[in-house]
Structures are given as C-alpha cells and as structure tokens.
Amino acid sequence: MADRLDRVYGWFDDRLDLDRDVPFLGKAFPAEDSYLLGEVALFCFLMLVLTGMFLGFFFEPSTSNVEYDGSVAEYQGEEMPEAFVSVLNITYDVPYGMFLRRLHHWAAHLFVASLSLHMLRVFFSGAYQNPREPNWVVGSGLAVASMFAAYTGYALPFDEFASTATGIGFSIANSIPILGDVFARVVFGGEYPSSATVPRFYFIHVFLLPVVIAGLIAVHMAILVRQKHTEAPREDDLAGDGRRVDRDDDGIVVGLPAFPNQAAISAVVFFLTMATLSLLAGFLPVHNVAEYGPNDPAGTPELIMPDWFLMWVFGFLKLLPGWLGFTIPVVDVHVSTEFIGGMLLPGIVFGIMFAWPFIDYREEPRHFTVDPLARPWQTAVGVAAVVMVMIASIAGMNTIAADITGLSTDVLNPALLAATILGPLVAGGITYLAIDRYDGPLYGSRPDVTPDGGAAGEAEAVPEGAGTIEPDDTDGEAGSQPDGEQSGGESDG
C-alpha cells in the first residue's frame, strides 16, 4: 500500500514539482492569441455568477400556482406556476431584467464555446501530453460540469418548451438499468415534472455546480501556475535581457510575465468579452418564455430540441432504432435505446476524452506544442470526433432538415445514421492519409521534428524549476524577441 502511495505521489511530483516554491507574478505566458480562449471562458463564468446572483434575487423556485399581475396582457389574472411568473417579471417588469437575463444566457453559450475551442487547441497541438495530463482531466471535468449547469438552468423557467425538453433528461436518467428509477427520483424529485423538480434543479444550478466549476477552475489555475506553459516551436534562437535562448531549449518559456504585461492583456480580453456579451444581449433575443407559455403536462410543442452543445446527444436518441434495445437473459435486465443513446454512447465519448492523455501517452515531458500536420493519427482522431459531433448534431435537428430538404424524417434518419457511423471513419481516414503524405513547408522544412511530432533535443532533462520567470530575474521587464514582440525572461533553472 505504501509503495502504491509513493508511486502516486511520485507521478504527481514529476508533473507538479510539489516541493518547489513557484513565483506567480513572474510566470511566463506565451504571446499567442489562441492561448486567450481560456481567459474568455474564465470571464464568462465570472459574468454567469454575477448575473446569476441578480436573477436569483427575483426568481421563485416553485411550481405552486399564483395569479399573474404583470406587464404581459395575455396572462393577466391567470393562475400560473410561480417559477414561470417570476421569469416573466424579471423579463418585463424588473429594471434591466431582460438585458441581464440575456447576458446570463449568452455568457453560458460563450462559456461552453470558448471552453470547447480551448480544448480543441490543446488537443490538436498535443498540449495535453506529459506533464499536463492532470490539467486535461480537470478541463474535461469542467466541460461536463458546464453542460450539466446549462441543462439544469434550462428547466428553471418552467415554460412549455423548456420543461418538455428537460423531460427528455428524465427519460434518459430513468432508462439506466437497475438504478434508473432511484437515480431519476433523486435528481428530479419524483416523476417529472413534480413540485420538487424546480427547487432541486435550482439548488443544483445555483449552488452545487457553480461550486464544482469554481473548484475545478481553481485547480486548473493552480496547476497552470506550477507548470510551464506550452510554447510554439521557435523559428530561431531568441535574444532577450542580454541573453540568448536556444530555439530547442524547452526548459525556458519565452513569453510575457504575469504582471504587469499579461495582466494588462487579460484586462483587455475582459472588456472585449464584456463588450461582445453586451452586444449579443442587446441585439439578439433569447428563449421567449411568454411565447411558449407555462408548462402544460397535456401538451407537447411541435419543435423540441436542447441547446447546441447537447444536440449531438439528442441526435443519438433520434437515430438509434428501437430494435437496438435488448434484455439481458438470466438477470432479466432491459437495456433500452434511451440508455444506449443518452447514457452509454455519450459516456464512451466522455470516457475517451478523459483518458486520452493516457492513450496518447508520451514518456518524456513535452513543453513545445506540435504542428497538427506532424501528428497524423492523433489529428485524424480529432477530425473524426468533430465530424461525428457535427453529423449527430444535424441528426438532432432532423425535423428542421426534413423541412429544408422536403424529405420525411423516416427517409432522412437511416441516411443520417449511416453518415454518423461512416462520416467520421471517412474523414479520419482521409485526414490520416493526407497528413501522412504531407511534406509541406511546415513539416518538411523542419528537419529537427521527429516523425512522432517531437522536437529534437526536447528529450534533454528539463532543469529543475525551469519555466517560470522569477521577479528578481526580470524586475518586471521583458526582453525583446527578434520580431519586435516583448518576450519573457529566463527560467529559474
């Protein structure tokens, strides 16, 4: 047991250098725009918390009927669920309520979008490999938690559209063999929708998941501070602070110190993010609860679909034929298509995502990012995954596709099912063959890039404590790169 604990500690110590003090203010940040996607996600989460606090002052998490007395004439005097009424009041009667509700909505979408793009950048550049496996796992947890946060928030207005769409989640939870009934009752508070569903989702949405997300962000940032940033391969040796940095020296990060340089850039990114969200909130309306009306257990909207980032799961549910369900003999346990499409397949996708750094494992630490064109099979897997999500998402909107093409969903679904299976294989295969034969300017002209994408010379041992800028090394000043950009200082190694 002690040996196992020692091995676990050693694994983390190899990656985080647990016994070393790390200066924060001098940490180097590579001056590359794509590295700012994570900051956009962070600022969106901050905006979600602030606007969520405002909305929480006026929202009533209850399905008890109350008489409406607000600005929407068509509902005047009607008895409606209190949650729905409170959202109407926030939207039409609370000063700035409509704007802040829209701001909350668009911040949620931009949070998931920037987080997804951030992960795609890390994936295609190989920045998840040793020693950064822990942060990839944390980032994957953030992606899952953010999707559940969006889902639980979707149900809160308790309008006809959202409550019907949320009910699909109840069916999926209820489909889990053996444990489904208990799990669904714990999460949804009974048969959906029950009087306990909205209060339970409200607690999960405003407290439980935000705490989880904030905790994961804190862990992500702590790991980020302890480790070096990855950095794009350098085109040549660099000169800065009167010293010369070899292009193959991955023990040193060339970038901007956290303070004041990166802090100033982060401030600009913050205001740009706020400006983008404000424009979206000012000009683009969001889910119109007044149009859909309160939840009606006897009615079903003509068009039901989740948000775009969950559409691929909805696509699985729509495409899988009913005959795919089966009953396990002897134990007499039924495995339904709802479980296969809503839990099993997404679980496999997320499982592979969490495990990917250990599937594409590299023994030696890597501190330079890698050109995707130098990683044929890894890039092919990434392209195949993106294609699968895109086709499955189109399948989730098959009713819209049927209206556009003039075909029935009965005709479209088999074609979409075949495309969901074959499309990723074809796209991944073409990508692999194209890259494997590629000898273009990015790859072919870089003789010190090995076939597996590693940079020659990076197998050298990284100096202990390398990769951060000590304040007393730089005095808050950065050197200059040959192209005129400011550069960070030298590692403490």
Side-chain angles (χ1 to χ4, degrees):
M1 184 65 179
D3 290 343
R4 292 180 180 177
L5 292 176
D6 287 342
R7 284 200 295 272
V8 171
Y9 179 84
W11 189 87
F12 281 100
D13 191 41
D14 286 344
R15 283 148 183 80
L16 303 175
D17 203 1
L18 298 173
D19 296 327
R20 179 172 60 92
D21 292 331
V22 176
F24 173 74
L25 297 181
K27 179 177 173 58
F29 288 80
E32 298 179 35
D33 294 341
S34 64
Y35 283 55
L36 301 176
L37 285 167
E39 295 193 16
V40 173
L42 175 64
F43 297 142
C44 286
F45 177 69
L46 177 63
M47 184 52 59
L48 280 169
V49 172
L50 295 175
T51 53
M53 291 171 62
F54 174 86
L55 298 175
F57 286 132
F58 302 97
F59 179 72
E60 294 291 344
S62 170
T63 55
S64 301
N65 283 340
V66 295
E67 183 177 329
Y68 178 69
D69 182 20
S71 299
V72 183
E74 64 182 293
Y75 295 127
Q76 275 292 343
E78 283 193 31
E79 294 279 336
M80 297 186 296
E82 199 168 6
F84 178 77
V85 169
S86 65
V87 175
L88 284 181
N89 289 333
I90 290 171
T91 307
Y92 298 104
D93 295 304
V94 174
Y96 303 105
M98 179 183 289
F99 177 76
L100 289 169
R101 181 170 165 247
R102 289 181 178 186
L103 207 60
H104 191 76
H105 174 97
W106 288 117
H109 283 262
L110 190 59
F111 176 63
V112 177
S114 55
L115 188 63
S116 302
L117 291 173
H118 180 60
M119 292 192 72
L120 285 175
R121 181 196 68 78
V122 171
F123 178 90
F124 283 107
S125 66
Y128 54 80
Q129 290 184 311
N130 184 9
R132 296 176 182 79
E133 305 99 321
N135 240 356
W136 173 267
V137 174
V138 171
S140 300
L142 269 172
V144 174
S146 65
M147 290 182 185
F148 276 109
Y151 172 76
T152 51
Y154 199 61
L156 296 184
F158 209 57
D159 65 286
E160 174 65 355
F161 183 97
S163 61
T164 304
T166 307
I168 296 172
F170 176 78
S171 300
I172 294 174
N174 205 30
S175 71
I176 301 174
I178 303 176
L179 301 175
D181 182 61
V182 174
F183 180 72
R185 288 180 181 277
V186 168
V187 175
F188 291 84
E191 290 292 333
Y192 180 82
S194 74
S195 59
T197 301
V198 170
R200 203 158 295 197
F201 270 43
Y202 182 67
F203 169 76
I204 296 172
H205 182 72
V206 305
F207 178 74
L208 187 60
L209 288 173
V211 168
V212 170
I213 292 174
L216 290 173
I217 289 176
V219 173
H220 182 80
M221 297 298 292
I223 295 175
L224 189 71
V225 169
R226 291 208 67 85
Q227 294 182 334
K228 291 190 301 182
H229 260 81
T230 53
E231 183 183 355
R234 300 164 191 148
E235 295 181 356
D236 206 343
D237 294 346
L238 302 173
D241 275 354
R243 287 165 286 187
R244 193 169 184 80
V245 180
D246 188 85
R247 60 168 293 189
D248 294 326
D249 186 356
D250 68 346
I252 295 175
V253 176
V254 178
L256 305 176
F259 186 84
N261 307 57
Q262 185 61 35
I265 292 177
S266 298
V268 173
V269 174
F270 172 79
F271 287 115
L272 287 176
T273 303
M274 295 304 103
T276 301
L277 291 176
S278 298
L279 285 173
L280 290 171
F283 292 100
L284 296 181
V286 297
H287 188 74
N288 189 346
V289 294
E291 180 180 342
Y292 291 111
N295 173 58
D296 179 7
T300 303
E302 292 184 6
L303 182 64
I304 304 173
M305 60 177 62
D307 288 326
W308 59 270
F309 43 82
L310 292 173
M311 194 68 74
W312 58 283
V313 179
F314 196 45
F316 287 159
L317 291 171
K318 284 193 169 185
L319 290 181
L320 293 183
W323 53 261
L324 206 61
F326 60 94
T327 300
I328 302 175
V330 182
V331 292
D332 196 29
V333 173
H334 183 65
V335 178
S336 65
T337 52
E338 286 83 4
F339 172 72
I340 296 173
M343 297 289 287
L344 184 60
L345 292 180
I348 292 174
V349 172
F350 284 122
I352 293 174
M353 182 174 72
F354 275 97
W356 184 252
F358 309 100
I359 297 172
D360 183 24
Y361 182 72
R362 193 171 188 274
E363 190 67 33
E364 295 295 332
R366 167 176 281 155
H367 302 293
F368 288 127
T369 58
V370 187
D371 183 352
L373 297 179
R375 297 177 359 119
W377 76 268
Q378 294 96 334
T379 301
V381 169
V383 170
V386 171
V387 169
M388 182 201 70
V389 169
M390 291 177 66
I391 297 177
S393 297
I394 293 173
M397 299 180 286
N398 62 349
T399 52
I400 297 176
D403 289 339
I404 294 174
T405 60
L407 301 173
S408 68
T409 55
D410 291 338
V411 174
L412 277 178
N413 282 354
L416 288 169
L417 178 59
T420 304
I421 297 172
L422 298 177
L425 296 175
V426 172
I430 292 175
T431 301
Y432 178 83
L433 293 174
I435 294 178
D436 196 43
R437 288 165 170 72
Y438 179 75
D439 191 27
L442 289 178
Y443 185 31
S445 64
R446 200 183 308 136
D448 56 345
V449 175
T450 60
D452 72 340
E458 65 182 0
E460 296 176 0
V462 178
E464 185 178 0
T468 59
I469 300 176
E470 294 286 356
D472 56 354
D473 281 347
T474 62
D475 291 331
E477 295 179 1
S480 299
Q481 294 182 7
D483 61 1
E485 292 182 351
Q486 286 187 306
S487 68
E490 184 176 335
S491 73
D492 55 3

